[in-house]
Amino acid sequence: MKLAIIGCGEVGRLYARVAAESFEVVLCDAYPSPAARDLAIELGLTLHERLGDWLAGVDRVWSCVTGDVAAAVAEQSGAFVSPGAMFVDLSTATPADKLRSSELLHTKGIEYADAVIMGAIGMTGLRTSLLVSGEAAATAVADFATIGAPARALENARPGDAAALKLLRTVLTKGIEALAVECLVSAEKQGVREELYRVLGDIDTQGFTTFLDAVVRSHLLHAERRSHEVERAVAQLDQAHLPSSVLAGTRTLYERSVHSLAAHPPGPDAATSIDSALAWMLSVSEADIPAAV
């Protein structure tokens, strides 16, 4: 089976190296880095710098480009890839872009799978999990299994559904990353970073998703008290002359919650489960939130 890998950044190079053991691999990158050129020479692979007729001979395309150009690459590839081949979009493009790419390639008889990387390739390499959606998801998962990459297909899911979950994960992980930067820099300046790790140990003991449900559910009960705590945390960073822009956004969310709780008090059982807590949060209209908050 012939596999084209478009985009030879960190992701493309990782999969190219292992895929070359099982597939006939050809590479493509519009602006190949020295690392990409070195890999092609090392493995004896052809490295194209533009899409073209050479794509007509491939059975699979793994697009490992950045999300902002993913849709354009899919569209341009569709002019050359043969009907019956499969295009796997591994980018972090928007769900809408992935759905449009799928529909466009489908008209040309090209199968499409929306694949997203659920983790950091730089940290866990080939062991990083993949989530795949679309009609060709099962085939894509089987191909990934061939190279030892763990992948799971979403059942009854359209192209774009995997991307949506990836971006929801990003809301959490990148938000935590930004807060971690503010928090650890401040802790280091105050000389308490090692002790901070110890006081965060309770999160490890109960499990992260359990922790998330617990704080969101109890948000209905303790938002006002916690908002005051956030104010004091902002003040602490300000006094240390350290940035608190992410924490300031947290303060805004608490202010909004306090207003909503006063305007639309939840029922007595709203905080007993994550389902009921989220149901109340979804019921609160943004129209009730003051513009100044």
Side-chain angles (χ1 to χ4, degrees), residues 96-118:
D97 276 350
K98 289 206 171 186
L99 182 58
R100 282 193 294 269
S101 294
S102 169
E103 292 170 344
L104 173 66
L105 293 178
H106 183 72
T107 64
K108 299 176 179 293
I110 301 167
E111 295 184 278
Y112 181 96
D114 164 20
V116 292
I117 300 168
M118 291 295 192

Side-chain angles (χ1 to χ4, degrees), residues 35-53:
R37 293 187 185 279
D38 289 346
L39 180 68
I41 293 171
E42 176 190 347
L43 301 180
L45 306 179
T46 300
L47 173 59
H48 296 278
E49 295 189 23
R50 57 181 53 84
L51 304 176
D53 291 337

Side-chain angles (χ1 to χ4, degrees), residues 57-77:
V58 305
D59 305 290
R60 303 281 193 271
V61 177
W62 291 358
S63 178
C64 301
V65 300
T66 57
D68 56 332
V69 300
V73 168
E75 181 177 2
Q76 292 163 18
S77 298

Side-chain angles (χ1 to χ4, degrees), residues 7-290:
C8 297
E10 184 178 34
V11 172
R13 295 197 307 274
L14 170 70
Y15 290 138
R17 180 175 293 280
V18 291
E21 299 175 5
S22 303
F23 306 133
E24 181 185 349
V25 175
V26 59
L27 306 176
C28 182
D29 195 297
Y31 305 98
S33 65
R37 293 187 185 279
D38 289 346
L39 180 68
I41 293 171
E42 176 190 347
L43 301 180
L45 306 179
T46 300
L47 173 59
H48 296 278
E49 295 189 23
R50 57 181 53 84
L51 304 176
D53 291 337
W54 60 270
L55 277 168
V58 305
D59 305 290
R60 303 281 193 271
V61 177
W62 291 358
S63 178
C64 301
V65 300
T66 57
D68 56 332
V69 300
V73 168
E75 181 177 2
Q76 292 163 18
S77 298
F80 304 107
V81 177
S82 299
M86 186 172 71
F87 188 97
V88 181
D89 188 342
L90 282 138
S91 75
T92 309
T94 66
D97 276 350
K98 289 206 171 186
L99 182 58
R100 282 193 294 269
S101 294
S102 169
E103 292 170 344
L104 173 66
L105 293 178
H106 183 72
T107 64
K108 299 176 179 293
I110 301 167
E111 295 184 278
Y112 181 96
D114 164 20
V116 292
I117 300 168
M118 291 295 192
I121 285 287
M123 295 175 61
T124 49
L126 190 62
R127 293 182 291 107
T128 311
S129 296
L130 295 157
L131 188 65
V132 192
S133 65
E135 291 182 0
T139 304
V141 166
D143 288 344
F144 288 128
T146 300
I147 67 168
R152 179 172 68 88
L154 281 173
E155 295 184 8
N156 303 316
R158 303 185 308 166
D161 288 349
L165 285 165
K166 164 74 172 182
L167 292 176
L168 285 170
R169 188 179 190 274
T170 295
V171 171
L172 184 65
T173 57
K174 299 308 184 286
I176 289 174
E177 177 184 330
L179 280 171
V181 169
E182 289 189 357
C183 180
L184 293 187
V185 168
S186 180
E188 184 72 10
K189 184 170 183 178
Q190 295 176 66
V192 295
R193 181 165 58 87
E194 292 303 321
E195 191 60 38
L196 174 65
Y197 293 144
R198 293 181 64 186
V199 302
L200 291 172
D202 61 307
I203 297 174
D204 293 331
T205 59
Q206 61 181 303
F208 189 60
T209 53
T210 299
F211 170 77
L212 288 182
D213 280 1
V215 294
V216 172
R217 178 177 51 77
S218 61
H219 185 76
L220 274 63
L221 302 173
H222 305 298
E224 184 170 5
R225 176 181 61 78
R226 290 173 180 171
S227 71
H228 299 315
E229 190 174 322
V230 170
E231 289 285 356
R232 290 189 288 272
V234 171
Q236 177 170 311
L237 266 61
D238 289 347
Q239 289 168 7
H241 303 292
L242 292 168
S244 61
S245 55
V246 184
L247 189 57
T250 301
R251 174 172 55 188
T252 299
L253 182 142
Y254 274 98
E255 290 172 349
R256 188 172 68 218
S257 292
V258 170
H259 171 83
S260 297
L261 287 163
H264 303 283
D269 299 326
T272 57
S273 73
I274 185 62
D275 292 332
S276 56
L278 289 173
W280 177 84
M281 291 175 185
L282 288 169
S283 73
V284 177
S285 171
E286 290 187 1
D288 295 322
I289 301 172

